[in-house]
Amino acid sequence: MKKVLILGAGTAGTIMANTLSRKAGKEWDITIIDQAEEHYYQPGFLFMPFEVYTEKDVVKRRQKFLPSRAEYKQAKLDRILPDENKVLLEGGAEEKYDILIISTGCGVAPDEVEGMTGSDWGKKSHDFYTFEGASKLTNAMKNWEGGRLVINIAEMPIKCPVAPLEFAFLADWYLTKKGVRDKTEIVYVTPLSGAFTKPIASAILNHLLEEKQINVVQDFSIGEVDNESHKIVSWDQREVEYDMLVAVPPNMGDELIERSDMGDELNFVPTNRDTMQAKAADNIFVIGDATDLPTSKAGSVAHFEAEVLTGNILSYMKEEEMEERFDGHANCFIESGFGKGFLLDFNYEQEPVPGHFPFPHVGPFGLLSQTRINHIGKLAFKYIYWHMLLKGYPIPFVDHKMSYMGKKVARTVS
Amino acid sequence: MPTKEIAGTTIDVTEEGFLTDRSQWSRDLAGALATEEGIELTDEHWKVIDFITADFQEKQAVPGMRRMNKVGGIPTKDLYRLFPNGPIKKAARISGFPKPASCV
Ligand SMILES: Cc1cc2nc3c(=O)[nH]c(=O)nc-3n(C[C@H](O)[C@H](O)[C@H](O)COP(=O)(O)OP(=O)(O)OC[C@H]3O[C@@H](n4cnc5c(N)ncnc54)[C@H](O)[C@@H]3O)c2cc1C
């Protein structure tokens, strides 16, 4: 028997275990390893502080979503030894493989910013990228009576790059509903030169921030959190004071990658952007937030990648040419508050533009326009995630290759 | 694409003044581009420029802050001192590389 070993049973690893279980030849064993018993629906963390979701919406037992054909092991991964085709687990055990899939995602690293885990951490300063952080922040938001609420992105890239912006929009809505919006100044502090990384979307979102009276401080690269005087200080000595800081710390790949000496400076694994093979070895593939690919780190992206990767791994198993190519397709709903939302659809080459999705002129979703159905789409994502996406079933009408249909793309004349 | 007269030659640049053809770059040109930014190049600056140049060859991208720290061994504080207000962007322009693409 030959073995596919999957490292990490989060969004991407779970999808791969499911698709390969359905499609790989009988001579293949599938093993998947994760350190924790619970599977978190991370997109739900955004909604917890606004009392839209609670724990039961976002946490489920991991094994429920894994196929019976795959063997699940709970262990912390120590390191990958690519030259020996094996992986060491904490405690000394080892696993051999013929094909390895790295899907260990990424996490927050607040210690990377001076002072971020100081005396304000968990009190006046919070994060919502972890379950624990989002839980604490939920209480802080409940008890909020007004003051300056500062949302800060430490550095790019971060997973779900629009989540901090959505946090700002939802805070505007939630605090209005609670009757304390007029006592609250919301400040959005970003290292970018605008609301988003891509120009057209950025212009539209900047306008919305203005409309909602959310102040923006841009080109702010955080150097330090000053816990004494409750302010964040940039490398070029600009300061923003806070009564509550909602911090998005640097996002980094797992330390396993560093221990294996397989990552870049943020522990992301250098990956072939077409085939999704690790640059380090032909029989290692990388998927989801763990890659260094220039597209969004998002569950929807992991899902598109999985379609490509499944095809490529099946070819690799049969020693055939890998024909599937990943185009960087990302598709994300942006919650904008008051029951509305946006939808962005883009890839490596095409930035998000206005239009309709998935059907030209019809939609039902509006690209880059604020509609109620987009908001419903965002909330429906939870159902789709638990029931379809993790199983690796195709999402109706949405292909892994981005479609240009329905997009208002400016034609460039050369 | 606009062109620009500087240091006795003509160069092709983007609207924001980034070189579009690196073969037009020279160490003299770097000095002239730096002067435009109000910077006089010292050995410390050159250490940064040389790192960006070598790293670009390897990665086909201008290194970010963290890569400058970790791989290049250049602390963020120094970068802000050497190239005030947007060090990466400025250092990239002086080194003759494209404007760093912001991450997605
Ligand atoms: C606040 C927030 C909002 C988001 N909103 C959206 C959204 O609206 N839409 C969207 O598409 N995406 C969203 N995302 C992003 C999405 O959740 C991730 O991109 C997705 O989960 C990535 O999947 P992954 O499998 O790569 O990583 P993960 O799902 O994080 O899985 C990685 C797994 O690896 C395991 N692991 C790591 N290291 C080790 C080790 N050393 N030993 C053992 N196990 C290990 C972990 O336990 C984990 O289970 C959001 C994320 C956050 C934080």
Side-chain angles (χ1 to χ4, degrees), chain A residues 112 155 197-198 221 235 265-266 294-295, chain B residues 66-67 70 76-77 80 89 102-104:
Chain A
E112 292 285 321
E155 67 185 80
T197 53
K198 312 269 178 166
S221 167
W235 285 103
E265 63 282 1
L266 285 164
T295 185
Chain B
R66 201 168 267 280
R67 196 168 166 82
K70 214 165 167 178
T76 306
K77 268 209 173 72
Y80 273 94
K89 242 183 261 178
S102 55
C103 324
V104 261

Side-chain angles (χ1 to χ4, degrees), chain A residues 8-13 33-36 42-43 45-46 62 75-77 103-106 128-129 159-160 163 166 254 256 259 287-290 297-300 302 333 378 381 385:
Chain A
T11 313
I33 302 179
D34 202 289
Q35 60 200 349
Q42 300 173 41
F45 297 167
L46 169 70
R62 193 180 300 284
K76 198 166 159 72
L77 299 155
S103 48
T104 42
C106 69
F128 66 97
Y129 268 52
K159 47 185 156 183
C160 196
E166 297 181 274
D254 195 81
L256 153 79
R259 288 191 294 268
I287 180 169
D289 294 351
K297 296 193 181 297
S300 64
F333 288 103
K378 176 101 193 184
F381 191 57
Y385 183 88

Side-chain angles (χ1 to χ4, degrees), chain A residues 77-341:
Chain A
L77 299 155
D78 178 40
R79 77 191 61 207
I80 303 162
L81 303 173
D83 295 334
E84 298 173 42
N85 293 328
K86 74 182 185 200
V87 172
L88 305 183
L89 312 184
E90 222 177 62
E94 56 179 61
E95 285 284 332
K96 293 213 159 251
Y97 62 81
D98 296 283
I99 293 176
L100 184 71
I101 300 174
I102 302 179
S103 48
T104 42
C106 69
V108 295
D111 285 328
E112 292 285 321
V113 177
E114 199 180 321
M116 191 170 275
T117 47
S119 50
D120 275 350
W121 190 236
K123 300 189 181 76
K124 273 175 176 286
S125 76
H126 298 274
D127 93 281
F128 66 97
Y129 268 52
T130 58
F131 179 71
E132 297 71 33
S135 306
K136 281 190 184 161
L137 183 52
T138 305
N139 283 327
M141 288 299 286
K142 265 187 201 157
N143 299 327
W144 178 257
E145 286 168 355
R148 184 185 278 166
L149 172 63
V150 174
I151 300 150
N152 172 242
I153 302 175
E155 67 185 80
M156 299 301 284
I158 53 171
K159 47 185 156 183
C160 196
V162 291
L165 201 59
E166 297 181 274
F167 189 94
F169 293 149
L170 286 168
D172 170 64
W173 160 74
Y174 176 80
L175 298 174
T176 302
K177 207 178 61 168
K178 275 188 45 159
V180 285
R181 178 65 179 97
D182 53 349
K183 296 195 203 98
T184 307
E185 186 191 353
I186 304 179
V187 191
Y188 186 76
V189 185
T190 167
L192 301 173
S193 306
F196 191 59
T197 53
K198 312 269 178 166
I200 297 175
S202 188
I204 293 175
L205 294 168
N206 275 334
H207 179 73
L208 196 64
L209 284 163
E210 209 175 292
E211 216 176 80
K212 294 184 187 287
Q213 298 183 11
I214 296 167
N215 300 328
V216 180
V217 178
Q218 57 188 39
D219 296 311
F220 186 100
S221 167
I222 191 171
E224 185 196 351
V225 178
D226 179 341
N227 293 275
E228 302 272 283
S229 24
H230 316 299
K231 60 190 183 196
I232 53 176
V233 186
S234 70
W235 285 103
D236 51 4
Q237 304 305 322
R238 285 181 291 154
E239 300 182 345
V240 180
E241 285 182 35
Y242 60 82
D243 294 297
M244 173 147 65
L245 174 65
V246 176
V248 180
N251 282 205
M252 293 176 74
D254 195 81
E255 283 173 10
L256 153 79
I257 305 300
E258 191 174 5
R259 288 191 294 268
S260 312
D261 197 19
M262 287 184 71
D264 65 10
E265 63 282 1
L266 285 164
N267 301 342
F268 293 125
V269 185
T271 304
N272 180 315
R273 66 180 239 171
D274 299 316
T275 63
M276 309 193 51
Q277 267 167 314
K279 290 184 180 161
D282 281 354
N283 62 339
I284 303 184
F285 295 82
V286 198
I287 180 169
D289 294 351
T291 75
D292 73 339
L293 296 180
T295 185
S296 286
K297 296 193 181 297
S300 64
V301 175
H303 164 83
F304 295 133
E305 288 174 341
E307 287 185 39
V308 172
L309 188 54
T310 303
N312 281 349
I313 289 183
L314 292 174
S315 305
Y316 187 89
M317 286 171 164
K318 294 182 219 144
E319 295 177 32
E320 288 167 5
E321 192 82 15
M322 290 184 275
E323 281 174 353
E324 296 283 353
R325 291 282 175 272
F326 183 55
D327 68 352
H329 189 187
N331 175 288
C332 51
F333 288 103
I334 303 181
E335 190 65 18
S336 55
F338 297 93
K340 293 200 172 151

